Structure formats: structure tokens, C-alpha cells
Amino acid sequence: MERIIRSEAEWRAQLSPAEYAVLREAATEPPFSGEYVNTTTPGVYVCRACGAELFRSETKFDSHCGWPSFYAPQDTDAVELLPDHSHGMIRTEVRCRRCGSHLGHVFHGEGYPTPTDDRYCINSIALRLVPED
């Protein structure tokens, strides 16, 4: 996968202020406010910044946390996981491997009845759903 490199000025021109805040500055949209929290439409979720395929609807589940949750990425190379020690917490940040945009965080071992016991807690604004035909 070829990495996309853009200047911050180019990202600002491409993204809305809310998209830029989440994708480039690691902000978080308010819980239960995103367009994909309750979506059940079959399809592929792609990065809103670069269009890379990130998650499939088959791996989406209702975690009642306020953000879309997935138990696995589309492909292990689709995302990169980085330590995040912000806000006095120890978490694992999820970024798009293709463009480096912040997507959300992944949590493990919370006891959800999923094949991986992972919860990729992803901001709706970081995604775009491409419905299946």
C-alpha cells in the first residue's frame, strides 16, 4: 500500500473543520452523534481522508459505547496501532496505515461475544460507508 503524504494545508483544504479535528488532530466526536453508530447497511467502511478500505460491515457490532465498533479491520495492514498515553490513560490508537489519519482506539479483553474480543472504537466522521450493490 502506497503511503499518502500531504501537507497540513492540503489536509485542511480537503477536510471539513470537524473531519480535520478528528482525522489530523486526534479529536473525538461526541458519543452517539456519529452517522454510523446504528448503521446496519452492508458494505465497506473506508477512510474519509484517503479512501483506504478499513472495516467491513460484517465485523461491526453494537457495543453500546456511542461510536461504531468493529471486532477486526478489513485487513491487518489496513490500520496501524500506536501507544496512546494522552488524557492520563493508556490506550492503543488506531490510525489509517495509508494516510496516517486518526480513526479511534482499540480495546481488548472487554468480554464482548466477538471472535477476537477486540473493540475497534472508531469515530464515524473518520469513515465513509460504501454500500454493497
Side-chain angles (χ1 to χ4, degrees), residues 41-70:
T41 304
V44 176
Y45 289 86
V46 301
C47 177
R48 193 172 295 254
C50 73
E53 292 186 6
L54 300 172
F55 300 94
R56 295 201 57 79
S57 59
E58 294 86 24
T59 65
K60 188 174 187 287
F61 69 101
D62 192 356
S63 68
H64 306 283
C65 72
W67 295 273
S69 296
F70 304 87

Side-chain angles (χ1 to χ4, degrees), residues 23 44 90 94 97 103-104 115 117:
L23 291 160
V44 176
I90 298 173
V94 181
R97 185 172 303 277
L103 305 172
D117 201 15

Side-chain angles (χ1 to χ4, degrees), residues 82-93 105:
L82 302 165
D84 179 359
H85 300 283
S86 64
H87 307 292
M89 297 181 271
I90 298 173
R91 301 180 290 177
T92 302
E93 180 184 11
H105 293 87

